[in-house]
Amino acid sequence: MRAAATRWDDDIPAIINSSHKRSLAFGLTPSTMPDFSPLQRGDLTDLIDKNCMLHAHAVPAMETLYQQIINTHNMVILTDANGTIVHSLGDDDFLEKADRVALQPGVAWSEQCRGTNAIGTAIAERTATLVHADQHYLAANHFLTCSAAPITDYQGKVVGVLDVSGDQRSFHKHTMALVRMSALMIENQLFSATFEDAITLHFHARPEFIGTLMEGIASFTPGGRFLSANRNGLFQLGLSFSALQSHTFSSLFGLPVSALFDHYRTAAPGLLNLCMHSGVRVYGCAQLRLANGAHALTDNQEIISAPSHAPARPAARLSGLRYLNTGDPELEQVIDKVNKVLGRDIPILVMGETGTGKELLAQAIHNDSPRAMSPFVAVNCASIPETLIESELFGYEDGAFTGARKKGAIGKILQANGGTLFLDEIGDMPFSLQARLLRVLQERMVTPLGSSKSIPVNVELICATNHNLRERMAKGLFREDLYYRLNGLVVKLPPLRERTDLDIVVKKILATESNGGKYTVSAEVLDLFHKHKWPGNFRQLTNLLRTAIIMASDEHEIGMRHMPDDFFDDIDTNATRIMATGANLDEMEHSAILRSLEAHGGNVSATARALGVSRNTIYRKMPHLK
């Protein structure tokens, strides 16, 4: 037996000593040749399916981590709670060495199978673990240096391990810090995805730390009862998980849940200013993800379902794909397609007329994706001057051009690193920049203006346009290679005039824009809504209803008299203005026939052809012509 394996003394870290003792107890010896056979393909598929949530949230973080250690003879590894490898990626030159010791998906790296190793020991000790060279129990693994951190769920249970393994000669002291940060990022994303019907608060004493790995996260039931908190949340609250079970949102942060809901019904809610039970003041940002939009608050802060006849009260402006699905079959197909590619690193191209909700869909995709806790950065390619769009997207160094900021600026692409980049009106991007964007997407590297240094970047890409990009390609206005790089999944949003769920959409907009007020639309107005062309789509409808609410004031039913004058210009019937003054259907028909007769010099046959009816119908409606 190797001397170092049984010499349990001070020159070996205590965690390694303990692991060596366990390895010996498992019946292993340093010369043991491990089992290299991975799981069969079907069993590996089952393993990935069993760990699908862990896999979906971990892969983006793994890709980001890999970009930071690329070309260092290392690989990034994800395992399940038992140490079986689920996913890996790494440098080609090291993967050949890794295959020699079965560092590949489907192979178990628990201590029972491999003795002391970073993955298995991190699981056994429930802590981040570094195992270097001959600290590995098996001699076959002495060429490795491995840094691993356990990934825990909302209950503190280990659900997997993130590991960087590489040639021990390429060991770098900062690798462990990167692994721990990446594992924490995965934990935070898993935590946020766990509670669908909940209030989730992101908080910190310093507002600039909200949205970073330093933030605390705590989730509560819709009624305010504590559910769980992440590592930093437990640390900032200063209480154990078990002690927090008896607490509520109000007892921990000094604010009733009803006040939280009121805050997010305002037009532009800022950060919350909260006082914790300890007296420490913190800033917070809440996500109100409620399964049932029709919720009402009672005085004792319990949530009860509202009666079916009561209008839904909006929980918050934050939304996911489920919120957008209001019954239109075409939109439902779009959402179904998008759901299938969430977290799969497939670019999405959203087509649709102006105002059909392309950015709203992009934000919902981000909110439901594994990157929900990372930045969502939107760039309107049509609104930025051509002279500025390059620096806006890619950033620049000090002195890159006349008028540049002294210390330079980070571009939108790097701002979105780890999250989602939404390029709206991509069809209007200057042709000269399209090649550079394509290079960034292919290489996943950004070079700021005036810099010779390329920076790794990992973004989920969503683009949108109201142009026909194929036509623009034919005219030489859009690059063909960029088009095929962007259209991993192409979806088209239907215009408002073709939507079958208009009634539900109107109710949702009224509930949102009225801040909880009980406004309805008269049957007469709703009928005209269905006849309207809506050239401005949802943007036009939202603005119209917002104005109508103000005009209606205390009346609470929006009628014809509350409509703006230009509303009638885009309706499919010429008799609308007569209808607006209260005329009945017979009067509208009579007026239409008279106008047509006048236009055709009293010719009944020409009038009938113009109106698409028979001559007998004209005579029946206008008996005085007989």
Side-chain angles (χ1 to χ4, degrees):
M1 184 178 295
R2 183 174 66 91
T6 56
R7 191 182 71 244
W8 301 309
D9 53 28
D10 292 340
D11 62 290
I12 300 179
I15 193 172
I16 302 298
N17 266 330
S18 298
S19 178
H20 283 182
K21 292 177 181 178
R22 288 194 298 271
S23 301
L24 183 62
F26 291 141
L28 299 173
T29 66
S31 60
T32 298
M33 291 303 296
D35 180 10
F36 290 160
S37 57
L39 295 173
Q40 296 297 317
R41 177 170 296 183
D43 294 331
L44 179 58
T45 300
D46 291 342
L47 176 71
I48 295 173
D49 289 344
K50 184 179 178 181
N51 294 274
C52 60
M53 180 171 280
L54 172 66
H55 183 268
H57 288 275
V59 168
M62 292 175 69
E63 291 177 349
T64 301
L65 176 58
Y66 176 61
Q67 291 299 328
Q68 294 171 304
I69 63 169
I70 195 169
N71 297 326
T72 60
H73 309 288
N74 281 283
M75 65 187 301
V76 183
I77 296 168
L78 175 71
T79 80
D80 69 357
N82 299 314
T84 302
I85 298 177
V86 175
H87 184 65
S88 66
L89 64 162
D91 296 337
D92 293 338
D93 57 350
F94 179 73
L95 291 178
E96 293 182 10
K97 295 181 180 178
D99 286 344
R100 296 206 306 257
V101 289
L103 271 172
Q104 57 185 282
V107 177
W109 276 78
S110 63
E111 284 190 337
Q112 292 92 328
C113 298
R114 294 289 192 278
T116 304
N117 72 90
I119 293 169
T121 305
I123 294 172
E125 298 285 346
R126 293 177 54 85
T127 190
T129 302
L130 169 66
V131 179
H132 178 60
D134 63 358
Q135 291 178 350
H136 288 88
Y137 189 76
L138 299 186
N141 297 331
H142 286 183
F143 74 98
L144 295 170
T145 288
C146 308
S147 304
I151 300 167
T152 59
D153 65 7
Y154 71 99
Q155 295 177 318
K157 177 184 175 183
V158 175
V159 294
V161 172
L162 184 67
D163 169 84
V164 169
S165 292
D167 191 314
Q168 56 106 343
R169 293 170 297 181
S170 62
F171 168 68
H172 197 288
K173 62 181 180 180
H174 296 310
T175 301
M176 176 56 84
L178 293 174
V179 171
R180 295 181 71 160
M181 289 173 61
S182 300
L184 184 57
M185 184 185 301
I186 297 168
E187 284 184 358
N188 286 353
Q189 291 175 349
L190 282 172
F191 184 95
S192 297
T194 297
F195 301 105
E196 286 292 325
D197 188 20
I199 299 168
T200 299
L201 181 71
H202 304 261
F203 62 98
H204 199 279
R206 295 174 59 179
E208 64 268 26
F209 284 171
I210 293 177
T212 73
L213 292 177
M214 304 300 293
E215 70 177 358
I217 308 177
S219 284
F220 303 83
T221 66
R225 182 173 55 81
F226 176 83
L227 290 170
S228 188
N230 71 341
R231 293 179 191 244
N232 285 332
L234 294 174
F235 176 77
Q236 291 185 58
L237 290 167
L239 295 171
S240 67
F241 182 81
S242 58
L244 285 166
Q245 296 303 307
S246 61
H247 277 275
T248 64
F249 182 89
S250 179
S251 67
L252 289 172
F253 294 100
L255 187 74
V257 173
S258 57
L260 182 67
F261 278 57
D262 289 341
H263 175 78
Y264 281 99
R265 289 190 185 106
T266 60
L271 289 178
L272 294 157
N273 195 332
L274 305 168
C275 183
M276 292 200 300
H277 65 99
S278 60
V280 175
R281 299 205 71 85
V282 295
Y283 295 90
C285 175
Q287 288 180 308
L288 314 181
R289 294 182 175 178
L290 305 187
N292 180 2
H295 279 152
L297 289 167
T298 63
D299 291 338
N300 63 2
Q301 306 308 316
E302 290 295 322
I303 295 288
I304 60 174
S305 294
S308 59
H309 60 270
R313 298 179 66 185
R317 292 176 184 268
L318 298 174
S319 66
L321 292 166
R322 181 172 55 186
Y323 176 84
L324 300 182
N325 194 353
T326 49
D328 180 78
E330 191 172 346
L331 181 62
E332 190 173 353
Q333 287 185 3
V334 169
I335 292 173
D336 183 57
K337 290 177 181 177
V338 167
N339 270 317
K340 291 178 179 178
V341 301
L342 283 178
R344 301 297 182 92
D345 195 27
I346 293 177
I348 298 173
L349 178 60
V350 185
M351 313 283 284
E353 296 176 7
T354 298
T356 49
K358 297 187 288 293
E359 182 167 355
L360 191 63
L361 175 64
Q363 181 71 69
I365 292 170
H366 173 77
N367 289 346
D368 282 358
S369 77
R371 300 172 182 253
M373 296 312 303
S374 298
F376 174 84
V377 178
V379 181
N380 189 313
C381 300
S383 66
I384 304 173
E386 186 170 346
T387 54
L388 295 178
I389 191 169
E390 186 174 21
S391 59
E392 189 78 6
L393 274 177
F394 303 100
Y396 56 87
E397 292 284 311
D398 181 13
F401 54 87
T402 302
R405 293 178 187 173
K406 187 174 181 180
K407 294 184 179 180
I410 185 172
K412 296 292 187 183
I413 295 176
L414 282 175
Q415 287 179 30
N417 194 24
T420 301
L421 177 66
F422 174 56
L423 297 179
D424 198 7
E425 305 300 344
I426 185 69
D428 292 301
M429 174 173 280
F431 191 87
S432 58
L433 287 186
Q434 293 176 22
R436 187 166 182 193
L437 175 62
L438 176 63
R439 189 161 59 250
V440 169
L441 298 178
Q442 289 176 335
E443 300 175 1
R444 299 200 176 204
M445 305 283 282
V446 174
T447 306
L449 293 178
S451 174
S452 59
K453 179 182 179 183
S454 295
I455 304 171
V457 65
N458 175 15
V459 297
E460 193 79 43
L461 185 65
I462 304 175
C463 296
T465 183
N466 61 355
H467 290 295
N468 184 322
L469 293 184
R470 289 183 179 273
E471 288 182 1
R472 292 184 73 80
M473 283 193 295
K475 295 176 181 178
L477 299 174
F478 201 84
R479 292 180 64 98
E480 184 176 0
D481 47 4
L482 178 59
Y483 172 79
Y484 289 112
R485 180 64 181 81
L486 298 178
N487 75 340
L489 172 67
V490 179
V491 294
K492 185 176 182 179
L493 290 179
L496 184 56
R497 62 184 174 276
E498 295 176 8
R499 293 278 292 261
T500 61
D501 56 348
L502 179 61
D503 294 11
I504 300 173
V505 169
V506 168
K507 289 179 181 178
K508 284 207 169 196
I509 295 175
L510 284 175
T512 301
E513 296 300 329
S514 63
N515 291 323
K518 299 179 180 179
Y519 285 89
T520 59
V521 172
S522 70
E524 193 177 31
V525 171
L526 197 58
D527 182 61
L528 289 183
F529 279 2
H530 284 278
K531 296 175 180 177
H532 204 281
K533 297 178 181 178
W534 298 115
N537 290 290
F538 288 93
R539 189 176 294 118
Q540 181 183 5
L541 176 61
T542 300
N543 287 336
L544 183 144
L545 289 175
R546 185 183 297 135
T547 304
I549 288 170
I550 296 172
M551 299 299 292
S553 186
D554 295 332
E555 294 182 46
H556 291 290
E557 184 182 79
I558 296 172
M560 300 292 282
R561 60 191 175 280
H562 303 129
M563 294 292 100
D565 290 343
D566 65 348
F567 168 72
F568 304 99
D569 294 342
D570 296 312
I571 296 180
D572 290 336
T573 173
N574 293 324
T576 305
R577 290 190 180 275
I578 299 173
M579 187 176 179
T581 63
N584 62 33
L585 186 59
D586 288 338
E587 290 172 330
M588 292 169 58
E589 291 177 341
H590 189 271
S591 176
I593 292 172
L594 283 177
R595 284 198 303 272
S596 185
L597 279 168
E598 183 179 354
H600 293 91
N603 188 316
V604 175
S605 297
T607 297
R609 284 195 298 272
L611 294 177
V613 297
S614 67
R615 293 172 69 251
N616 288 338
T617 299
I618 299 296
Y619 286 124
R620 188 173 67 251
K621 297 289 184 182
M622 313 288 284
H624 66 279
L625 296 176
K626 293 181 180 179

